[in-house]
mmCIF file of all heavy atoms in Angstrom:
data_model
loop_
_atom_site.group_PDB
_atom_site.id
_atom_site.type_symbol
_atom_site.label_atom_id
_atom_site.label_comp_id
_atom_site.label_asym_id
_atom_site.label_seq_id
_atom_site.Cartn_x
_atom_site.Cartn_y
_atom_site.Cartn_z
ATOM 1 N N CYS A 299 33.960 -4.405 -13.835
ATOM 2 C CA CYS A 299 33.105 -4.202 -15.002
ATOM 3 C C CYS A 299 33.507 -2.875 -15.721
ATOM 4 O O CYS A 299 34.271 -2.097 -15.173
ATOM 5 C CB CYS A 299 31.630 -4.062 -14.567
ATOM 6 S SG CYS A 299 31.281 -2.664 -13.510
ATOM 7 N N THR A 300 33.057 -2.721 -16.908
ATOM 8 C CA THR A 300 33.203 -1.426 -17.625
ATOM 9 C C THR A 300 32.066 -0.516 -17.187
ATOM 10 O O THR A 300 30.943 -1.037 -17.040
ATOM 11 C CB THR A 300 33.175 -1.689 -19.140
ATOM 12 O OG1 THR A 300 34.283 -2.531 -19.498
ATOM 13 C CG2 THR A 300 33.172 -0.380 -19.938
ATOM 14 N N VAL A 301 32.348 0.698 -16.994
ATOM 15 C CA VAL A 301 31.314 1.680 -16.618
ATOM 16 C C VAL A 301 31.242 2.690 -17.734
ATOM 17 O O VAL A 301 32.224 3.250 -18.104
ATOM 18 C CB VAL A 301 31.672 2.377 -15.270
ATOM 19 C CG1 VAL A 301 30.531 3.369 -14.897
ATOM 20 C CG2 VAL A 301 31.849 1.378 -14.142
ATOM 21 N N ALA A 302 29.983 2.879 -18.236
ATOM 22 C CA ALA A 302 29.809 3.773 -19.386
ATOM 23 C C ALA A 302 28.632 4.672 -19.195
ATOM 24 O O ALA A 302 27.626 4.293 -18.605
ATOM 25 C CB ALA A 302 29.624 2.946 -20.654
ATOM 26 N N LEU A 303 28.742 5.886 -19.709
ATOM 27 C CA LEU A 303 27.613 6.805 -19.774
ATOM 28 C C LEU A 303 26.815 6.447 -20.996
ATOM 29 O O LEU A 303 27.381 6.226 -22.091
ATOM 30 C CB LEU A 303 28.187 8.213 -19.918
ATOM 31 C CG LEU A 303 27.292 9.407 -19.623
ATOM 32 C CD1 LEU A 303 26.768 9.381 -18.183
ATOM 33 C CD2 LEU A 303 28.083 10.695 -19.799
ATOM 34 N N VAL A 304 25.468 6.309 -20.834
ATOM 35 C CA VAL A 304 24.667 5.919 -21.990
ATOM 36 C C VAL A 304 23.405 6.779 -21.923
ATOM 37 O O VAL A 304 23.172 7.609 -21.022
ATOM 38 C CB VAL A 304 24.226 4.440 -21.870
ATOM 39 C CG1 VAL A 304 25.457 3.535 -21.994
ATOM 40 C CG2 VAL A 304 23.466 4.129 -20.587
ATOM 41 N N GLY A 305 22.535 6.636 -22.970
ATOM 42 C CA GLY A 305 21.206 7.319 -22.923
ATOM 43 C C GLY A 305 21.276 8.758 -23.293
ATOM 44 O O GLY A 305 22.208 9.252 -23.947
ATOM 45 N N SER A 306 20.293 9.492 -22.729
ATOM 46 C CA SER A 306 20.085 10.890 -23.129
ATOM 47 C C SER A 306 21.208 11.821 -22.710
ATOM 48 O O SER A 306 21.369 12.899 -23.269
ATOM 49 C CB SER A 306 18.758 11.370 -22.573
ATOM 50 O OG SER A 306 18.754 11.266 -21.151
ATOM 51 N N ALA A 307 21.979 11.440 -21.728
ATOM 52 C CA ALA A 307 23.096 12.313 -21.289
ATOM 53 C C ALA A 307 24.124 12.495 -22.396
ATOM 54 O O ALA A 307 24.867 13.463 -22.365
ATOM 55 C CB ALA A 307 23.753 11.773 -20.040
ATOM 56 N N LEU A 308 24.114 11.590 -23.377
ATOM 57 C CA LEU A 308 25.034 11.757 -24.513
ATOM 58 C C LEU A 308 24.569 12.653 -25.547
ATOM 59 O O LEU A 308 25.336 13.091 -26.396
ATOM 60 C CB LEU A 308 25.310 10.310 -25.091
ATOM 61 C CG LEU A 308 25.975 9.269 -24.208
ATOM 62 C CD1 LEU A 308 26.042 7.959 -24.900
ATOM 63 C CD2 LEU A 308 27.314 9.752 -23.743
ATOM 64 N N SER A 309 23.306 12.960 -25.542
ATOM 65 C CA SER A 309 22.721 13.754 -26.637
ATOM 66 C C SER A 309 22.020 15.043 -26.180
ATOM 67 O O SER A 309 21.852 16.004 -26.987
ATOM 68 C CB SER A 309 21.772 12.926 -27.515
ATOM 69 O OG SER A 309 20.726 12.457 -26.704
ATOM 70 N N LYS A 310 21.551 15.105 -24.931
ATOM 71 C CA LYS A 310 20.762 16.215 -24.491
ATOM 72 C C LYS A 310 21.632 17.121 -23.581
ATOM 73 O O LYS A 310 22.446 16.679 -22.780
ATOM 74 C CB LYS A 310 19.564 15.800 -23.690
ATOM 75 C CG LYS A 310 18.497 15.073 -24.523
ATOM 76 C CD LYS A 310 17.333 14.752 -23.713
ATOM 77 C CE LYS A 310 16.277 14.078 -24.618
ATOM 78 N NZ LYS A 310 15.104 13.755 -23.782
ATOM 79 N N THR A 311 21.345 18.439 -23.685
ATOM 80 C CA THR A 311 22.047 19.370 -22.839
ATOM 81 C C THR A 311 21.596 19.289 -21.401
ATOM 82 O O THR A 311 22.359 19.380 -20.461
ATOM 83 C CB THR A 311 21.832 20.853 -23.371
ATOM 84 O OG1 THR A 311 22.242 20.866 -24.694
ATOM 85 C CG2 THR A 311 22.608 21.818 -22.545
ATOM 86 N N MET A 312 20.291 19.076 -21.193
ATOM 87 C CA MET A 312 19.690 18.967 -19.893
ATOM 88 C C MET A 312 18.903 17.693 -19.802
ATOM 89 O O MET A 312 17.675 17.697 -19.768
ATOM 90 C CB MET A 312 18.747 20.179 -19.656
ATOM 91 C CG MET A 312 19.426 21.588 -19.696
ATOM 92 S SD MET A 312 20.436 21.867 -18.263
ATOM 93 C CE MET A 312 19.161 22.101 -17.051
ATOM 94 N N PRO A 313 19.547 16.550 -19.653
ATOM 95 C CA PRO A 313 18.850 15.278 -19.576
ATOM 96 C C PRO A 313 18.089 15.219 -18.180
ATOM 97 O O PRO A 313 18.480 15.839 -17.195
ATOM 98 C CB PRO A 313 19.925 14.234 -19.659
ATOM 99 C CG PRO A 313 21.167 14.890 -19.150
ATOM 100 C CD PRO A 313 21.016 16.351 -19.569
ATOM 101 N N ARG A 314 17.003 14.483 -18.213
ATOM 102 C CA ARG A 314 16.215 14.254 -17.003
ATOM 103 C C ARG A 314 16.969 13.508 -15.949
ATOM 104 O O ARG A 314 16.867 13.794 -14.719
ATOM 105 C CB ARG A 314 14.951 13.466 -17.410
ATOM 106 C CG ARG A 314 14.014 13.171 -16.205
ATOM 107 C CD ARG A 314 12.776 12.402 -16.693
ATOM 108 N NE ARG A 314 13.080 11.208 -17.402
ATOM 109 C CZ ARG A 314 13.321 10.002 -16.900
ATOM 110 N NH1 ARG A 314 13.309 9.861 -15.590
ATOM 111 N NH2 ARG A 314 13.593 8.960 -17.673
ATOM 112 N N ASP A 315 17.800 12.521 -16.367
ATOM 113 C CA ASP A 315 18.623 11.777 -15.461
ATOM 114 C C ASP A 315 19.931 11.389 -16.200
ATOM 115 O O ASP A 315 20.036 11.629 -17.413
ATOM 116 C CB ASP A 315 17.935 10.539 -14.885
ATOM 117 C CG ASP A 315 17.521 9.559 -16.011
ATOM 118 O OD1 ASP A 315 17.842 9.768 -17.155
ATOM 119 O OD2 ASP A 315 16.821 8.581 -15.671
ATOM 120 N N ILE A 316 20.824 10.811 -15.462
ATOM 121 C CA ILE A 316 22.128 10.359 -16.027
ATOM 122 C C ILE A 316 22.088 8.819 -15.978
ATOM 123 O O ILE A 316 21.974 8.225 -14.926
ATOM 124 C CB ILE A 316 23.326 10.891 -15.185
ATOM 125 C CG1 ILE A 316 23.250 12.379 -15.054
ATOM 126 C CG2 ILE A 316 24.651 10.400 -15.764
ATOM 127 C CD1 ILE A 316 23.321 13.174 -16.317
ATOM 128 N N ASP A 317 22.129 8.232 -17.183
ATOM 129 C CA ASP A 317 22.137 6.749 -17.272
ATOM 130 C C ASP A 317 23.567 6.271 -17.246
ATOM 131 O O ASP A 317 24.368 6.662 -18.158
ATOM 132 C CB ASP A 317 21.440 6.304 -18.537
ATOM 133 C CG ASP A 317 19.953 6.705 -18.554
ATOM 134 O OD1 ASP A 317 19.312 6.497 -17.474
ATOM 135 O OD2 ASP A 317 19.467 7.204 -19.547
ATOM 136 N N VAL A 318 23.872 5.372 -16.348
ATOM 137 C CA VAL A 318 25.222 4.797 -16.263
ATOM 138 C C VAL A 318 25.075 3.269 -16.360
ATOM 139 O O VAL A 318 24.356 2.682 -15.564
ATOM 140 C CB VAL A 318 25.898 5.189 -14.905
ATOM 141 C CG1 VAL A 318 27.255 4.495 -14.787
ATOM 142 C CG2 VAL A 318 26.072 6.673 -14.813
ATOM 143 N N ALA A 319 25.754 2.676 -17.340
ATOM 144 C CA ALA A 319 25.685 1.237 -17.471
ATOM 145 C C ALA A 319 26.914 0.595 -16.897
ATOM 146 O O ALA A 319 28.042 1.055 -17.165
ATOM 147 C CB ALA A 319 25.569 0.898 -18.989
ATOM 148 N N LEU A 320 26.682 -0.440 -16.056
ATOM 149 C CA LEU A 320 27.801 -1.292 -15.585
ATOM 150 C C LEU A 320 27.720 -2.540 -16.421
ATOM 151 O O LEU A 320 26.724 -3.303 -16.463
ATOM 152 C CB LEU A 320 27.628 -1.612 -14.157
ATOM 153 C CG LEU A 320 28.070 -0.434 -13.197
ATOM 154 C CD1 LEU A 320 27.276 0.810 -13.317
ATOM 155 C CD2 LEU A 320 28.063 -0.920 -11.761
ATOM 156 N N ILE A 321 28.800 -2.774 -17.191
ATOM 157 C CA ILE A 321 28.781 -3.864 -18.262
ATOM 158 C C ILE A 321 29.839 -4.905 -17.980
ATOM 159 O O ILE A 321 30.985 -4.599 -17.802
ATOM 160 C CB ILE A 321 29.081 -3.173 -19.593
ATOM 161 C CG1 ILE A 321 28.124 -1.992 -19.905
ATOM 162 C CG2 ILE A 321 29.012 -4.207 -20.726
ATOM 163 C CD1 ILE A 321 28.570 -1.055 -20.933
ATOM 164 N N TRP A 322 29.359 -6.172 -17.847
ATOM 165 C CA TRP A 322 30.202 -7.262 -17.611
ATOM 166 C C TRP A 322 30.224 -8.176 -18.856
ATOM 167 O O TRP A 322 29.228 -8.204 -19.600
ATOM 168 C CB TRP A 322 29.664 -8.137 -16.450
ATOM 169 C CG TRP A 322 29.872 -7.520 -15.115
ATOM 170 C CD1 TRP A 322 30.932 -7.721 -14.307
ATOM 171 C CD2 TRP A 322 28.925 -6.706 -14.412
ATOM 172 N NE1 TRP A 322 30.737 -7.016 -13.125
ATOM 173 C CE2 TRP A 322 29.509 -6.426 -13.146
ATOM 174 C CE3 TRP A 322 27.682 -6.217 -14.715
ATOM 175 C CZ2 TRP A 322 28.889 -5.606 -12.213
ATOM 176 C CZ3 TRP A 322 27.036 -5.393 -13.752
ATOM 177 C CH2 TRP A 322 27.644 -5.111 -12.570
ATOM 178 N N PRO A 323 31.291 -8.905 -19.072
ATOM 179 C CA PRO A 323 31.281 -9.908 -20.139
ATOM 180 C C PRO A 323 30.185 -10.923 -19.775
ATOM 181 O O PRO A 323 29.874 -11.150 -18.622
ATOM 182 C CB PRO A 323 32.659 -10.630 -19.985
ATOM 183 C CG PRO A 323 33.542 -9.592 -19.396
ATOM 184 C CD PRO A 323 32.646 -8.786 -18.426
ATOM 185 N N LEU A 324 29.502 -11.478 -20.764
ATOM 186 C CA LEU A 324 28.377 -12.360 -20.644
ATOM 187 C C LEU A 324 28.605 -13.406 -19.562
ATOM 188 O O LEU A 324 27.740 -13.663 -18.712
ATOM 189 C CB LEU A 324 27.950 -12.974 -21.952
ATOM 190 C CG LEU A 324 26.809 -13.961 -21.924
ATOM 191 C CD1 LEU A 324 25.524 -13.294 -21.330
ATOM 192 C CD2 LEU A 324 26.535 -14.525 -23.323
ATOM 193 N N ALA A 325 29.702 -14.153 -19.649
ATOM 194 C CA ALA A 325 29.988 -15.231 -18.706
ATOM 195 C C ALA A 325 29.975 -14.759 -17.292
ATOM 196 O O ALA A 325 29.483 -15.428 -16.373
ATOM 197 C CB ALA A 325 31.304 -15.931 -19.081
ATOM 198 N N GLU A 326 30.575 -13.565 -17.041
ATOM 199 C CA GLU A 326 30.592 -13.033 -15.664
ATOM 200 C C GLU A 326 29.257 -12.599 -15.167
ATOM 201 O O GLU A 326 28.876 -12.792 -14.036
ATOM 202 C CB GLU A 326 31.619 -11.866 -15.573
ATOM 203 C CG GLU A 326 33.068 -12.233 -15.741
ATOM 204 C CD GLU A 326 33.993 -11.103 -15.757
ATOM 205 O OE1 GLU A 326 33.718 -10.118 -14.968
ATOM 206 O OE2 GLU A 326 35.009 -11.140 -16.427
ATOM 207 N N PHE A 327 28.489 -11.968 -16.080
ATOM 208 C CA PHE A 327 27.137 -11.554 -15.755
ATOM 209 C C PHE A 327 26.320 -12.825 -15.393
ATOM 210 O O PHE A 327 25.601 -12.802 -14.378
ATOM 211 C CB PHE A 327 26.535 -10.831 -16.929
ATOM 212 C CG PHE A 327 25.130 -10.257 -16.677
ATOM 213 C CD1 PHE A 327 25.076 -8.961 -16.165
ATOM 214 C CD2 PHE A 327 24.019 -10.913 -16.909
ATOM 215 C CE1 PHE A 327 23.793 -8.335 -15.917
ATOM 216 C CE2 PHE A 327 22.760 -10.364 -16.679
ATOM 217 C CZ PHE A 327 22.636 -9.092 -16.192
ATOM 218 N N GLU A 328 26.352 -13.876 -16.148
ATOM 219 C CA GLU A 328 25.622 -15.080 -15.898
ATOM 220 C C GLU A 328 26.115 -15.776 -14.565
ATOM 221 O O GLU A 328 25.306 -16.324 -13.898
ATOM 222 C CB GLU A 328 25.693 -16.060 -17.102
ATOM 223 C CG GLU A 328 24.880 -15.565 -18.241
ATOM 224 C CD GLU A 328 24.847 -16.540 -19.414
ATOM 225 O OE1 GLU A 328 25.856 -17.207 -19.670
ATOM 226 O OE2 GLU A 328 23.764 -16.616 -20.058
ATOM 227 N N ALA A 329 27.380 -15.688 -14.308
ATOM 228 C CA ALA A 329 27.909 -16.263 -13.046
ATOM 229 C C ALA A 329 27.294 -15.529 -11.838
ATOM 230 O O ALA A 329 27.045 -16.177 -10.792
ATOM 231 C CB ALA A 329 29.426 -16.161 -13.038
ATOM 232 N N MET A 330 27.033 -14.228 -11.973
ATOM 233 C CA MET A 330 26.491 -13.479 -10.857
ATOM 234 C C MET A 330 24.984 -13.599 -10.779
ATOM 235 O O MET A 330 24.415 -13.689 -9.690
ATOM 236 C CB MET A 330 26.796 -11.969 -11.036
ATOM 237 C CG MET A 330 28.212 -11.614 -10.702
ATOM 238 S SD MET A 330 28.488 -9.808 -10.776
ATOM 239 C CE MET A 330 28.233 -9.398 -12.443
ATOM 240 N N PHE A 331 24.275 -13.629 -11.961
ATOM 241 C CA PHE A 331 22.824 -13.491 -11.912
ATOM 242 C C PHE A 331 22.060 -14.666 -12.581
ATOM 243 O O PHE A 331 20.871 -14.643 -12.679
ATOM 244 C CB PHE A 331 22.407 -12.204 -12.602
ATOM 245 C CG PHE A 331 23.053 -11.002 -12.058
ATOM 246 C CD1 PHE A 331 23.866 -10.190 -12.806
ATOM 247 C CD2 PHE A 331 22.854 -10.600 -10.742
ATOM 248 C CE1 PHE A 331 24.525 -9.027 -12.316
ATOM 249 C CE2 PHE A 331 23.499 -9.528 -10.214
ATOM 250 C CZ PHE A 331 24.253 -8.700 -11.002
ATOM 251 N N GLY A 332 22.777 -15.665 -13.084
ATOM 252 C CA GLY A 332 22.158 -16.819 -13.734
ATOM 253 C C GLY A 332 22.076 -16.614 -15.231
ATOM 254 O O GLY A 332 22.523 -15.597 -15.771
ATOM 255 N N PRO A 333 21.500 -17.590 -15.887
ATOM 256 C CA PRO A 333 21.440 -17.614 -17.368
ATOM 257 C C PRO A 333 20.703 -16.315 -17.860
ATOM 258 O O PRO A 333 19.732 -15.851 -17.259
ATOM 259 C CB PRO A 333 20.613 -18.852 -17.711
ATOM 260 C CG PRO A 333 20.739 -19.712 -16.539
ATOM 261 C CD PRO A 333 20.858 -18.829 -15.319
ATOM 262 N N LEU A 334 21.210 -15.896 -18.970
ATOM 263 C CA LEU A 334 20.608 -14.721 -19.616
ATOM 264 C C LEU A 334 19.189 -15.039 -20.029
ATOM 265 O O LEU A 334 18.902 -16.002 -20.630
ATOM 266 C CB LEU A 334 21.448 -14.291 -20.852
ATOM 267 C CG LEU A 334 21.303 -12.857 -21.328
ATOM 268 C CD1 LEU A 334 21.796 -11.923 -20.178
ATOM 269 C CD2 LEU A 334 22.229 -12.657 -22.525
ATOM 270 N N PRO A 335 18.246 -14.164 -19.707
ATOM 271 C CA PRO A 335 16.821 -14.391 -20.066
ATOM 272 C C PRO A 335 16.634 -14.363 -21.586
ATOM 273 O O PRO A 335 17.318 -13.633 -22.349
ATOM 274 C CB PRO A 335 16.072 -13.270 -19.418
ATOM 275 C CG PRO A 335 17.060 -12.354 -18.831
ATOM 276 C CD PRO A 335 18.396 -12.903 -18.980
ATOM 277 N N THR A 336 15.656 -15.186 -22.074
ATOM 278 C CA THR A 336 15.402 -15.223 -23.500
ATOM 279 C C THR A 336 13.979 -14.763 -23.814
ATOM 280 O O THR A 336 13.656 -14.634 -24.955
ATOM 281 C CB THR A 336 15.588 -16.709 -24.033
ATOM 282 O OG1 THR A 336 14.757 -17.552 -23.286
ATOM 283 C CG2 THR A 336 17.029 -17.150 -23.891
ATOM 284 N N ASP A 337 13.212 -14.474 -22.766
ATOM 285 C CA ASP A 337 11.854 -14.083 -23.002
ATOM 286 C C ASP A 337 11.411 -13.028 -21.896
ATOM 287 O O ASP A 337 12.197 -12.824 -21.003
ATOM 288 C CB ASP A 337 10.858 -15.236 -23.072
ATOM 289 C CG ASP A 337 10.835 -16.057 -21.780
ATOM 290 O OD1 ASP A 337 11.333 -15.579 -20.762
ATOM 291 O OD2 ASP A 337 10.346 -17.170 -21.835
ATOM 292 N N GLN A 338 10.244 -12.519 -22.007
ATOM 293 C CA GLN A 338 9.764 -11.493 -21.076
ATOM 294 C C GLN A 338 9.683 -12.045 -19.633
ATOM 295 O O GLN A 338 10.037 -11.317 -18.713
ATOM 296 C CB GLN A 338 8.407 -10.964 -21.483
ATOM 297 C CG GLN A 338 7.970 -9.793 -20.766
ATOM 298 C CD GLN A 338 6.775 -9.079 -21.369
ATOM 299 O OE1 GLN A 338 6.132 -9.622 -22.325
ATOM 300 N NE2 GLN A 338 6.337 -7.964 -20.846
ATOM 301 N N ASP A 339 9.275 -13.265 -19.490
ATOM 302 C CA ASP A 339 9.183 -13.815 -18.143
ATOM 303 C C ASP A 339 10.604 -14.005 -17.547
ATOM 304 O O ASP A 339 10.803 -13.742 -16.349
ATOM 305 C CB ASP A 339 8.487 -15.160 -18.113
ATOM 306 C CG ASP A 339 6.979 -15.067 -18.340
ATOM 307 O OD1 ASP A 339 6.460 -13.961 -18.058
ATOM 308 O OD2 ASP A 339 6.396 -16.058 -18.749
ATOM 309 N N GLY A 340 11.554 -14.341 -18.365
ATOM 310 C CA GLY A 340 12.890 -14.480 -17.886
ATOM 311 C C GLY A 340 13.509 -13.128 -17.453
ATOM 312 O O GLY A 340 14.189 -13.062 -16.497
ATOM 313 N N HIS A 341 13.193 -12.095 -18.244
ATOM 314 C CA HIS A 341 13.668 -10.742 -17.896
ATOM 315 C C HIS A 341 13.045 -10.333 -16.562
ATOM 316 O O HIS A 341 13.717 -9.706 -15.755
ATOM 317 C CB HIS A 341 13.348 -9.762 -19.017
ATOM 318 C CG HIS A 341 14.305 -9.754 -20.112
ATOM 319 N ND1 HIS A 341 15.507 -9.128 -20.072
ATOM 320 C CD2 HIS A 341 14.289 -10.390 -21.350
ATOM 321 C CE1 HIS A 341 16.223 -9.334 -21.199
ATOM 322 N NE2 HIS A 341 15.480 -10.139 -21.950
ATOM 323 N N LYS A 342 11.716 -10.566 -16.384
ATOM 324 C CA LYS A 342 11.096 -10.218 -15.117
ATOM 325 C C LYS A 342 11.741 -10.941 -13.997
ATOM 326 O O LYS A 342 11.969 -10.337 -12.930
ATOM 327 C CB LYS A 342 9.593 -10.518 -15.202
ATOM 328 C CG LYS A 342 8.861 -10.118 -13.932
ATOM 329 C CD LYS A 342 7.387 -10.342 -14.023
ATOM 330 C CE LYS A 342 6.603 -10.013 -12.778
ATOM 331 N NZ LYS A 342 7.233 -9.526 -11.604
ATOM 332 N N HIS A 343 12.081 -12.253 -14.157
ATOM 333 C CA HIS A 343 12.683 -12.991 -13.082
ATOM 334 C C HIS A 343 14.059 -12.414 -12.782
ATOM 335 O O HIS A 343 14.401 -12.303 -11.604
ATOM 336 C CB HIS A 343 12.803 -14.456 -13.551
ATOM 337 C CG HIS A 343 13.511 -15.330 -12.495
ATOM 338 N ND1 HIS A 343 12.904 -15.652 -11.307
ATOM 339 C CD2 HIS A 343 14.723 -15.860 -12.514
ATOM 340 C CE1 HIS A 343 13.787 -16.360 -10.600
ATOM 341 N NE2 HIS A 343 14.912 -16.518 -11.307
ATOM 342 N N LEU A 344 14.829 -12.006 -13.814
ATOM 343 C CA LEU A 344 16.135 -11.439 -13.533
ATOM 344 C C LEU A 344 15.974 -10.114 -12.811
ATOM 345 O O LEU A 344 16.653 -9.905 -11.750
ATOM 346 C CB LEU A 344 16.864 -11.128 -14.864
ATOM 347 C CG LEU A 344 18.150 -10.294 -14.796
ATOM 348 C CD1 LEU A 344 19.213 -11.070 -14.000
ATOM 349 C CD2 LEU A 344 18.646 -9.928 -16.184
ATOM 350 N N TRP A 345 15.097 -9.215 -13.208
ATOM 351 C CA TRP A 345 14.962 -7.918 -12.536
ATOM 352 C C TRP A 345 14.443 -8.108 -11.172
ATOM 353 O O TRP A 345 14.758 -7.257 -10.262
ATOM 354 C CB TRP A 345 14.007 -7.001 -13.346
ATOM 355 C CG TRP A 345 14.463 -6.671 -14.707
ATOM 356 C CD1 TRP A 345 13.990 -7.161 -15.914
ATOM 357 C CD2 TRP A 345 15.601 -5.860 -15.103
ATOM 358 N NE1 TRP A 345 14.664 -6.686 -17.000
ATOM 359 C CE2 TRP A 345 15.701 -5.897 -16.507
ATOM 360 C CE3 TRP A 345 16.550 -5.155 -14.414
ATOM 361 C CZ2 TRP A 345 16.695 -5.189 -17.211
ATOM 362 C CZ3 TRP A 345 17.520 -4.460 -15.072
ATOM 363 C CH2 TRP A 345 17.580 -4.495 -16.474
ATOM 364 N N ASP A 346 13.631 -9.124 -10.889
ATOM 365 C CA ASP A 346 13.105 -9.335 -9.583
ATOM 366 C C ASP A 346 14.036 -10.135 -8.643
ATOM 367 O O ASP A 346 13.751 -10.228 -7.445
ATOM 368 C CB ASP A 346 11.746 -10.086 -9.658
ATOM 369 C CG ASP A 346 10.656 -9.227 -10.249
ATOM 370 O OD1 ASP A 346 10.796 -7.993 -10.317
ATOM 371 O OD2 ASP A 346 9.644 -9.793 -10.684
ATOM 372 N N SER A 347 15.068 -10.759 -9.158
ATOM 373 C CA SER A 347 15.920 -11.593 -8.340
ATOM 374 C C SER A 347 16.656 -10.735 -7.271
ATOM 375 O O SER A 347 17.047 -9.632 -7.596
ATOM 376 C CB SER A 347 16.944 -12.382 -9.211
ATOM 377 O OG SER A 347 17.993 -11.507 -9.576
ATOM 378 N N TRP A 348 16.789 -11.287 -6.117
ATOM 379 C CA TRP A 348 17.392 -10.559 -5.034
ATOM 380 C C TRP A 348 18.831 -10.245 -5.307
ATOM 381 O O TRP A 348 19.339 -9.152 -5.001
ATOM 382 C CB TRP A 348 17.216 -11.324 -3.699
ATOM 383 C CG TRP A 348 17.896 -10.615 -2.545
ATOM 384 C CD1 TRP A 348 18.800 -11.087 -1.713
ATOM 385 C CD2 TRP A 348 17.660 -9.295 -2.141
ATOM 386 N NE1 TRP A 348 19.204 -10.159 -0.803
ATOM 387 C CE2 TRP A 348 18.471 -8.987 -0.997
ATOM 388 C CE3 TRP A 348 16.827 -8.235 -2.542
ATOM 389 C CZ2 TRP A 348 18.548 -7.779 -0.369
ATOM 390 C CZ3 TRP A 348 16.884 -7.002 -1.917
ATOM 391 C CH2 TRP A 348 17.662 -6.771 -0.798
ATOM 392 N N ASP A 349 19.584 -11.150 -5.913
ATOM 393 C CA ASP A 349 21.033 -10.875 -6.197
ATOM 394 C C ASP A 349 21.154 -9.700 -7.171
ATOM 395 O O ASP A 349 21.998 -8.827 -6.904
ATOM 396 C CB ASP A 349 21.708 -12.115 -6.863
ATOM 397 C CG ASP A 349 21.941 -13.210 -5.887
ATOM 398 O OD1 ASP A 349 21.994 -12.945 -4.669
ATOM 399 O OD2 ASP A 349 22.065 -14.378 -6.260
#
Side-chain angles (χ1 to χ4, degrees):
C299 64
T300 296
V301 181
L303 197 59
V304 297
S306 62
L308 297 176
S309 60
K310 292 184 178 179
T311 305
M312 300 286 289
R314 178 180 54 87
D315 61 6
I316 306 298
D317 296 314
V318 176
L320 280 64
I321 306 163
W322 288 269
L324 177 59
E326 291 179 33
F327 186 88
E328 288 184 323
M330 286 187 293
F331 305 120
L334 204 59
T336 58
D337 60 17
Q338 190 170 5
D339 286 339
H341 279 279
K342 181 175 177 4
H343 179 71
L344 171 66
W345 298 109
D346 291 344
S347 77
W348 178 236
D349 287 337

